[in-house]
Amino acid sequence: MSDNTDTPSEQDKTDKDTLSGQDEDESPPRMTTKLFGISDTIKTLSSLGVEKTKVNPAQGLIMGWQATAYLAFAAFLAWMIMFSVATDLSYGLGQFLAFAVFGFSALVLVILYGSNLVTGDYMTAGIAMMTQRSRWREVLWEWSITHSGHWMAGFVIGWMIIIGAGQAGPVGSDLMGILAGIGEKKVNELTWDQLFYRGIFANWLIAMGVWGAYRTKEIFSKILLIGIPVSVFFAIGFEHSIVNHFALAAGIWAGGDYTWGEAWFNNLVPVTLGNIIGAMILQGMVYWYVGGMQVWLGPGKWKKPHGTYRDLLIAIRDTGTLMLFFVGMAPLMAGSIFLFVVEPALGITPGNGSQNWIEPVGIMIYLTGTALLVKRFMPRKWFKIPES
């Protein structure tokens, strides 16, 4: 009697033939790497991060300057609206309008106009490092030179708005008092642990905005996905180091009771550390892991079906090394030098005597110099953009 079913030996032969025709890439992964298209977004942000690490010094400074300029204009307008509306109508309405204005202008301008915001690069360049397309020293270079441009714009534009243009608006000295008070609270009242956690939350939300921007190609959708989390961060009052570059400078130019060294040591050290953790680890590394710990092997080649826990350990090691080097080299060392060495030597004390150009220019020179020092010891070949 005939049987239409395959015999065990025939079935085994069919299975083997089928498997031999399959590409290794089609083998079932242990992790769902295609979930929500996350792995594709990781690859896009990895490519973006690689390109950012190849900037030359002029590009890094100028693109960092541009980003801070956008944030400064948005923050100053938000504070003017909040104070004016709160005085004339309602404090709650003033806050709502201010937060809406900042959220849908600041990071939207940074991304859609094209500039480098280092707190967004904590995630994008960090992902380039996690996917092993960039080394941690390359990322350190990009963060450092961009950070220098941010600081340059922060204190210069702060002076131009507050002192140069006298752009306090019709509220005059009252607004100057508000700006000084904002700076004094950030420097003199909040503790390191409060600033650290506020820094985590602020840049976690900023990184959400950057992540959302690369999840869609429609401009209106980008604006919404960027603006909503940024509005949340500004509304709650979390701490963003680059916004603070402008806010703390504006506070000093407005007569705030703190020095440049205190601004860096008391505020920017814990806020910067928190910002890195919020963006690079809680947003970037989380999605890199969920997306399968993808690792770049060469042009058009990625480890299939996904990376291994050894790749995760490498990413954790490099992330920790990068974070310690950057925070130690930039805000911690700058704050320590100027607060404990330069200011005592110059006899600088908090108050109006802090309105000097020596310190902010000195900090700018220190930041740019250390960034160029990092670049000096990097092989020239590292600045070539690898093929995708």
Side-chain angles (χ1 to χ4, degrees):
M1 183 174 70
S2 62
D3 191 345
N4 292 330
T5 60
D6 292 334
T7 64
S9 60
E10 291 173 333
Q11 184 65 54
D12 291 343
K13 182 176 183 299
T14 301
D15 291 342
K16 289 177 181 179
D17 290 341
T18 301
L19 290 172
S20 65
Q22 286 182 337
D23 188 86
E24 184 181 351
D25 293 351
E26 297 175 359
S27 60
R30 286 171 291 161
M31 296 175 64
T32 307
T33 58
K34 300 292 185 181
L35 188 68
F36 304 127
I38 289 173
S39 61
D40 294 331
T41 307
I42 289 293
K43 291 174 183 177
T44 298
L45 293 176
S46 175
S47 297
L48 176 62
V50 170
E51 292 187 12
K52 285 176 177 285
T53 62
K54 308 305 178 182
V55 295
N56 65 37
Q59 286 176 316
L61 289 171
I62 293 172
M63 299 306 282
W65 168 288
Q66 289 295 98
T68 303
Y70 300 148
L71 296 183
F73 296 144
F76 189 72
L77 175 60
W79 289 326
M80 287 190 72
I81 290 174
M82 180 172 66
F83 182 79
S84 299
V85 174
T87 301
D88 296 338
L89 297 175
S90 162
Y91 178 76
L93 179 60
Q95 277 195 315
F96 174 77
L97 293 175
F99 304 144
V101 165
F102 184 86
F104 287 92
S105 59
L107 190 60
V108 171
L109 296 179
V110 168
I111 293 177
L112 298 188
Y113 280 24
S115 63
N116 278 5
L117 180 62
V118 74
T119 47
D121 295 343
Y122 293 159
M123 178 180 70
T124 55
I127 288 175
M129 183 187 67
M130 294 171 206
T131 56
Q132 299 180 25
R133 295 191 67 185
S134 294
R135 301 164 182 83
W136 71 264
R137 280 183 290 170
E138 293 177 281
V139 179
L140 178 64
W141 151 250
E142 192 269 331
W143 286 7
S144 301
I145 195 65
T146 305
H147 194 242
S148 303
H150 290 328
W151 175 245
M152 189 187 308
F155 76 84
V156 171
I157 292 177
W159 185 93
M160 291 171 68
I161 290 176
I162 304 301
I163 305 297
Q167 195 65 43
V171 291
S173 60
D174 290 335
L175 180 57
M176 297 287 278
I178 294 292
L179 294 174
I182 289 173
E184 289 169 0
K185 179 178 180 180
K186 290 176 179 290
V187 175
N188 299 331
E189 297 181 21
L190 296 176
T191 62
W192 264 39
D193 57 337
Q194 289 175 318
L195 291 166
F196 171 70
Y197 289 111
R198 292 185 185 201
I200 290 176
F201 297 137
N203 215 38
W204 191 353
L205 287 159
I206 290 289
M208 288 181 195
V210 176
W211 176 268
Y214 291 92
R215 295 284 289 172
T216 179
K217 294 182 179 180
E218 298 178 1
I219 297 298
F220 183 72
S221 299
K222 284 180 181 286
I223 292 172
L224 286 178
L225 292 175
I226 297 169
I228 291 173
V230 175
S231 293
V232 172
F233 129 67
F234 200 70
I236 296 176
F238 293 142
E239 294 285 318
H240 185 264
S241 60
I242 309 308
V243 173
N244 285 358
H245 279 11
F246 168 74
L248 298 177
I252 284 183
W253 297 129
D257 188 24
Y258 57 93
T259 66
W260 295 103
E262 287 176 324
W264 274 82
F265 191 83
N266 294 351
N267 181 276
L268 292 177
V269 173
V271 171
T272 301
L273 181 59
N275 284 173
I276 295 173
I277 292 173
M280 187 164 65
I281 297 177
L282 297 181
Q283 187 73 14
M285 185 173 284
V286 164
Y287 275 108
W288 173 71
Y289 176 82
V290 171
M293 298 180 289
Q294 298 297 316
V295 173
W296 187 75
L297 299 176
K301 297 180 181 178
W302 292 81
K303 187 176 287 188
K304 299 287 185 171
H306 52 72
T308 65
Y309 285 103
R310 180 177 180 275
D311 298 314
L312 176 61
L313 291 175
I314 292 172
I316 292 172
R317 179 200 66 191
D318 290 347
T319 296
T321 303
L322 173 62
M323 184 164 47
L324 290 175
F325 263 87
F326 181 70
V327 174
M329 187 179 74
L332 180 59
M333 188 60 68
S336 299
I337 291 173
F338 282 85
L339 178 59
F340 300 115
V341 179
V342 175
E343 290 179 357
L346 297 178
I348 294 173
T349 57
N352 291 334
S354 303
Q355 294 179 344
N356 67 83
W357 282 86
I358 297 174
E359 288 187 273
V361 171
I363 293 171
M364 179 194 72
I365 293 172
Y366 169 81
L367 294 175
T368 305
T370 52
L372 293 175
L373 194 62
V374 171
K375 181 179 182 295
R376 172 66 178 80
F377 292 99
M378 289 169 56
R380 189 177 297 273
K381 64 181 180 179
W382 285 13
F383 288 91
K384 296 180 180 179
I385 300 178
E387 297 180 30
S388 300

